[in-house]
Amino acid sequence: QVQLVESGGGTVQAGGSLRLSCTASGTTNGIYVMGWYRQAPGNQRESVATINNSDSPNYADSVKGRFLISRDNAKTTVYLQMNSLKPEDTAVYYCYCYRWTRGDEYWGQGTQVTVSS
């Protein structure tokens, strides 16, 4: 089992920045991908950014050039630096990880990000 704990959400004005963090604990060996998804009211959950063990990132088109995903050296903490935030970035942001050794995935509890205009 893997537990994911997020932090860093909050309320910010449009154009501002926030940094989300997510730390994995438990049986973390075998985690291959970590990342962030988000879900706004009435919308489906969507991928925001992911990063694999080769530190190769993938970004949603809507956040390219504004968001930056990174991981620590131990590969158990993932960060999402969000710049130039827009009201449409308002959502609950969920941390995610995939373990290749078991073929399973885990989710954090979610953290609210609200961007006011």
Side-chain angles (χ1 to χ4, degrees):
Q1 295 285 331
V2 175
Q3 295 78 44
L4 300 173
V5 178
E6 303 126 331
S7 62
T11 299
V12 65
Q13 288 190 330
S17 298
L18 283 173
R19 189 187 194 214
L20 305 182
S21 299
C22 172
T23 298
S25 61
T27 308
T28 59
N29 58 305
I31 290 178
Y32 181 69
V33 175
M34 294 188 76
W36 295 92
Y37 284 66
R38 68 186 180 187
Q39 187 168 19
N43 291 356
Q44 290 187 332
R45 191 173 296 188
E46 62 176 0
S47 176
V48 176
T50 59
I51 187 166
N52 62 22
N53 280 0
S54 299
D55 289 333
S56 176
N58 275 293
Y59 296 97
D61 287 342
S62 59
V63 306
K64 283 180 181 177
R66 300 188 298 121
F67 290 11
L68 178 67
I69 190 169
S70 60
R71 286 171 80 171
D72 68 340
N73 289 337
K75 309 292 187 186
T76 57
T77 298
V78 64
Y79 306 97
L80 186 67
Q81 178 66 43
M82 304 185 293
N83 301 320
S84 301
L85 282 161
K86 304 175 181 180
E88 50 263 44
D89 294 317
T90 296
V92 177
Y93 284 69
Y94 295 91
C95 182
Y96 162 88
C97 77
Y98 170 78
R99 280 192 315 185
W100 71 270
T101 48
R102 295 294 184 99
D104 54 4
E105 56 187 29
Y106 294 87
W107 296 90
Q109 79 283 0
T111 185
Q112 178 70 45
V113 171
T114 301
V115 184
S116 60
S117 57

